[in-house]
Amino acid sequence: MPLSPISAVHVAISWLTVLPVPTPAVAMDRRTGGAVIAAVPVVGALLGSLAAALAFGLSHTSLPSTLIGVLLVVGLALITRGMHVDGLADTVDGLGCYGPPQRVAEVMKSGSVGPFGAAAIVAAGAVQAIGFAALTDEHRWYEIVFAVIASRVAVVVACRRVLGPASETGFGAMVAGTQRLSPIIWPAIMLIGAAALGATGSGDYDITHTLTVATTFAVMTATIWLLSRHCARRIGGITGDVLGAAIELGLAITLVGLLAR
């Protein structure tokens, strides 16, 4: 029996965060994995709301905005067990090596962080921290939420139907290639959200800002689309590490785009 949407969100929270939510008794198969991936943007909404609330609270202290941005990045890493950061490092290390898919997979599974992976963590973390800091400075709380949700939509895009798993075991084997309609539905929802962000407190509508947000989301989606296709070719399919990389890069790209106006 397929999971209900509520159960899918429940499982997604228990799998992807450290929040004290017990894992429901469900079959660990591709049907469950597909339902969970389709619900990941809802988890993004929860995490984004927590990040925005933290930014709002810390903005009323004497802490500099840059430090607030760093704390948001650290907080998101802690609440997600650092899985996505580790996935980014492993993916970049794997793509940075020479050899066939087997060699790339071996590097990604080594457990150590190489120079490419370390550089990717520093670069992505710096961009995210500065981006969060700038949004906090301008009191753009809803856009903090939007950016975190967008980064989780990136996972849905990377799990689209045409990209299969790299191996028969692991998280990727359970979720890769499971999404048929979600890669269309969630971007449509996000574009509606972009339109909503054009509203201003004075009652006017900022069409330029709406177009900026929509373009940012489109660029992020296209980038993750191409990245996941490249990873599938180099690794032989999609892995859990690739999904972690999609989240971290998706967040960084979205934050840059939101500030480029």
Side-chain angles (χ1 to χ4, degrees):
M1 179 181 297
L3 288 179
S4 68
I6 293 178
S7 295
V9 171
H10 186 178
V11 176
I13 293 174
S14 69
W15 282 5
L16 303 176
T17 75
V18 296
L19 297 177
V21 177
T23 303
V26 295
M28 298 301 179
D29 54 21
R30 283 181 61 80
R31 176 176 289 182
T32 297
V36 169
I37 291 300
V40 166
V42 179
V43 179
L46 172 61
L47 296 176
S49 298
L50 291 174
L54 178 61
F56 176 79
L58 293 177
S59 71
H60 290 82
T61 69
S62 59
L63 291 177
S65 58
T66 303
L67 181 55
I68 294 175
V70 171
L71 291 176
L72 261 60
V73 172
V74 172
L76 286 173
L78 290 175
I79 203 170
T80 57
R81 302 188 186 94
M83 292 185 295
H84 312 321
V85 176
D86 179 68
L88 172 64
D90 288 343
T91 299
V92 173
D93 279 335
L95 295 178
C97 76
Y98 294 100
Q102 294 81 1
R103 171 57 181 162
V104 177
E106 180 183 339
V107 171
M108 292 175 67
K109 293 178 180 178
S110 66
S112 59
V113 177
F116 289 126
I121 291 175
V122 172
V127 170
Q128 291 171 13
I130 294 171
F132 281 138
L135 292 179
T136 298
D137 260 346
E138 298 176 15
H139 297 175
R140 293 161 65 180
W141 318 119
Y142 291 116
E143 291 177 48
I144 291 177
V145 180
F146 182 91
V148 179
I149 299 174
S151 69
R152 270 58 186 180
V153 174
V155 171
V156 177
V157 171
C159 287
R160 61 191 182 277
R161 197 77 167 181
V162 296
L163 302 180
S167 70
E168 297 179 355
T169 60
F171 188 69
M174 192 183 305
V175 302
T178 59
Q179 303 302 301
R180 175 177 294 176
L181 295 178
S182 294
I184 299 173
I185 294 172
W186 275 113
I189 293 173
M190 294 301 289
L191 291 177
I192 293 173
L197 288 175
T200 64
S202 62
D204 298 326
Y205 191 81
D206 188 348
I207 184 64
T208 301
H209 185 52
T210 294
L211 291 176
T212 298
V213 176
T215 301
T216 294
F217 180 75
V219 169
M220 185 280 292
T221 302
T223 301
I224 298 303
W225 187 285
L226 294 173
L227 172 68
S228 56
R229 185 176 70 175
H230 177 66
C231 289
R233 181 179 63 83
R234 288 284 285 119
I235 305 169
I238 297 298
T239 67
D241 285 333
V242 172
L243 302 182
I247 287 176
E248 294 299 320
L249 293 176
L251 179 57
I253 293 169
T254 303
L255 288 169
V256 170
L258 291 175
L259 295 167
R261 63 169 187 173

